[in-house]
Amino acid sequence: MRPILLCLLLCLAACPKLPPVSGCTPAAWRCSPDGRPEVCSASQRWEPAGDRSCASVGAVCVVERTAHCAPAFDASTDASEVTP
Amino acid sequence: MIAPTLIESALRTWRPATVLRPGDALHAVAVGLYRALVEALPAALRPVTGVVLGSLEDASQRVSVTLATPGDPVIVLSPAAVADEVSHACTLAHEWVHVGQIARVGRVQTAVDYLGSGELRAQREADAAAVGLWLRYVLTGELPETAPTLGDLYHLSTDDAALARAVIASHLDTIRAGALPPLDVCVVLAQWLHATPREIPADVLARVPRVPS
């Protein structure tokens, strides 16, 4: 039992920490609930573009061709998910 | 032109790191470590990790790297990176994204993520590449029409390379929209540029959005 637990702990400690599989459509775009641009990977995970929210750089997240940040005064596009 | 050493100072204030340039006494030692690292890997891991590290050793003339060490991260700049001041500054900014990733995720997890997942490697290199493109835009006004493809260096699958290109495309659209890419290094440099306006050319400053402090 102990070796199994040890292996499990080592595996948990040494596995890449990917985002959870969401079932999204690969290459789809969205703004995350906290306002970060994200793109769906081939493994159907939402991967972020950047390491902080658009709001933290004085912008808002929009989906227009891609999901990206835009100045707040220019944000006229609905920030919903789009598929390719 | 803003001296790359000034940009380095601004970034080092945010996250400490050691920068080794060609000609530095420790530069040759660090490059030699790539080969030692590959040879020290357990045989079972070499197909995964050796391919990345091995290519770095071979490509050390044109490739810069950030190494997670027990102390501060070490940035090893290639001769190509310091060939001109704009490339020098942009490469420093690119590598400091990895310094930030090491601080955020941890040394061991950063290495596990980078070497164990093409998807995470693609996402992190894309963010770093976008910072380099943003700083080049700030310094020169040049911005590529379309997102560049990351080179073979990172050993990305077709799917992961497409992910990297998509992440860069998002950042390019952010820059075109007049906003700052949502990346820590961009925020640090934007705040520093606006805090030292007398030393920064007006046309450069005009390309840097102000960000909340």
Side-chain angles (χ1 to χ4, degrees):
Chain A
M1 189 64 184
R2 277 184 185 169
I4 293 172
L5 268 177
L6 188 62
C7 287
L8 191 62
L9 285 172
L10 281 174
C11 181
L12 283 173
C15 287
K17 288 192 175 166
L18 285 154
V21 174
S22 75
C24 56
T25 305
W29 297 92
R30 77 165 187 177
C31 294
S32 71
D34 63 345
R36 296 164 189 257
E38 292 183 331
V39 60
C40 182
S41 70
S43 65
Q44 299 188 298
R45 295 173 165 90
W46 287 112
E47 289 285 357
D51 48 31
R52 40 168 63 216
S53 69
C54 291
S56 74
V57 293
V60 292
C61 184
V62 298
V63 182
E64 189 180 64
R65 198 181 78 88
T66 64
H68 59 274
C69 301
F73 59 81
D74 194 30
S76 57
T77 312
D78 177 33
S80 57
E81 181 181 331
V82 294
T83 51
Chain B
M1 175 60 199
I2 306 163
T5 48
L6 286 178
I7 288 172
E8 180 186 335
S9 296
L11 290 168
R12 185 180 286 126
T13 302
W14 172 59
R15 298 271 186 227
T18 301
V19 178
L20 299 180
R21 293 177 170 79
D24 289 350
L26 285 174
H27 187 272
V29 176
V31 171
L33 275 177
Y34 301 156
R35 186 181 298 278
L37 267 173
V38 174
E39 287 172 357
L41 289 169
L45 286 176
R46 284 184 195 169
V48 181
T49 56
V51 72
V52 174
L53 293 170
S55 65
L56 286 179
E57 199 277 338
D58 294 338
S60 59
Q61 286 300 303
R62 60 184 174 83
V63 176
S64 302
V65 295
T66 299
L67 303 171
T69 71
D72 291 339
V74 175
I75 295 171
V76 186
L77 295 179
S78 70
V82 298
D84 63 84
E85 290 204 316
V86 173
S87 298
H88 193 161
C90 296
T91 305
L92 284 170
H94 173 124
E95 297 304 328
W96 239 283
V97 174
H98 297 312
V99 173
Q101 289 163 352
I102 291 167
R104 192 172 65 250
V105 181
R107 295 180 185 94
V108 173
Q109 191 63 49
T110 298
V112 170
D113 289 351
Y114 195 90
L115 298 172
S117 166
E119 181 170 325
L120 291 176
R121 192 161 64 247
Q123 192 275 333
R124 290 175 189 177
E125 285 298 343
D127 274 354
V131 167
L133 292 172
W134 172 76
L135 188 55
R136 186 170 291 275
Y137 164 73
V138 167
L139 296 174
T140 68
E142 297 167 8
L143 193 66
E145 290 281 319
T146 55
T149 305
L150 294 183
D152 294 338
L153 169 70
Y154 305 114
H155 297 275
L156 300 177
S157 68
T158 305
D159 286 339
D160 293 334
L163 171 67
R165 200 155 182 260
V167 169
I168 296 171
S170 167
H171 290 306
L172 289 179
D173 281 352
T174 292
I175 296 167
R176 284 191 201 96
L180 191 73
L183 287 150
D184 288 342
V185 168
C186 293
V187 171
V188 169
L189 289 178
Q191 289 175 338
W192 173 75
L193 288 163
H194 280 293
T196 50
R198 271 184 288 183
E199 299 170 38
I200 310 300
D203 62 320
V204 168
L205 210 53
R207 287 189 283 268
V208 183
R210 287 191 178 275
V211 290
S213 54

